[in-house]
Amino acid sequence: MTPSQSQPSPTVRVAAAADVAAVSAVLGRAFDDDPVWGWLLPDEASRVRRLGRLFGVALRHVHLPHAASEAAGRDGAVEAAAFWDPPNHWKVSAGRQLSLLGQLLGVFGTRLPIALRTLGAIEEHHPREPHWYLAVLGTDPPAQGLGLGGALLRSRLDRCDAAGVPAYLESSKERNEILVCTQYLT
């Protein structure tokens, strides 16, 4: 039986402020085994909690205002999420970063300087031409393999294709790169 035969179809919708807690918890668990986040937050006992806080701050203060981030799940549950930023709105200003410093310090603690340097180095390779930016895409581990990530990708990429606007994402896990290509191209 395929996931679509045994499971309800995923519903994709624009994420709202009421989704912040559920989305951040899902993404905290989804990124627990990510090599970059694991290196930035090496304490395994607190990583999921800290990642959840980080994704909550990012969604609430950076991505939600664009009204383009989405949540997906079955039967009304939030089981996956994607943080999308529209063309020319992906860069987080120095002022916004400064306003979030206290919250980021609560997530990273003494590792905040290395986290900011690492994220800044990654940002240097970001394309400059207008594009939709997929900042985060993750599925709760128990719901992985059910097509939720693919549904989130198709939701925005179909609109990008129709408008002729490129999209961009970074991934630190080879498995995710393969899954992104497979999910969207099939």
Side-chain angles (χ1 to χ4, degrees):
M1 217 184 277
T2 66
S4 63
Q5 292 172 324
S6 62
Q7 300 290 332
S9 295
T11 301
V12 174
R13 61 181 171 73
V14 174
D19 297 314
V20 171
V23 165
S24 57
V26 161
L27 293 175
R29 292 186 295 270
F31 281 85
D32 183 33
D33 67 345
D34 182 87
V36 171
W37 292 115
W39 179 71
L40 290 173
L41 296 168
D43 179 30
E44 292 179 22
S46 66
R47 184 180 307 133
V48 169
R49 177 181 51 80
R50 288 173 182 260
L51 283 170
R53 286 176 60 192
L54 174 66
F55 289 122
V57 168
L59 180 57
R60 187 177 294 110
H61 299 288
V62 177
H63 305 288
L64 213 65
H66 302 306
S69 293
E70 296 178 322
R74 299 160 295 156
D75 296 326
V78 173
E79 298 175 290
F83 294 177
W84 286 98
D85 296 316
N88 303 315
H89 293 282
W90 62 268
K91 192 164 179 61
V92 181
S93 71
R96 175 58 54 100
Q97 290 178 41
L98 190 58
S99 73
L100 298 174
L101 255 165
Q103 293 179 69
L104 294 175
L105 186 59
V107 170
F108 292 106
T110 60
R111 295 198 48 87
L112 181 59
I114 190 83
L116 292 176
R117 283 194 305 274
T118 300
L119 297 174
I122 292 169
E123 186 178 286
E124 288 178 15
H125 299 282
H126 200 109
R128 301 296 180 220
E129 74 242 13
H131 61 279
W132 277 90
Y133 175 47
L134 178 55
V136 175
L137 173 66
T139 302
D140 208 351
Q144 290 176 0
L146 300 177
L148 297 166
L152 285 164
L153 280 172
R154 279 188 302 281
S155 174
R156 176 65 54 199
L157 292 178
D158 286 349
R159 289 177 273 173
C160 288
D161 289 346
V165 178
Y168 175 77
L169 73 98
E170 301 109 359
S171 178
S172 54
K173 287 175 66 175
E174 184 177 352
R175 179 179 183 272
N176 290 349
E177 293 171 16
I178 293 166
L179 289 174
V180 165
C181 292
T182 304
Q183 290 284 331
Y184 185 67
L185 298 175
T186 56

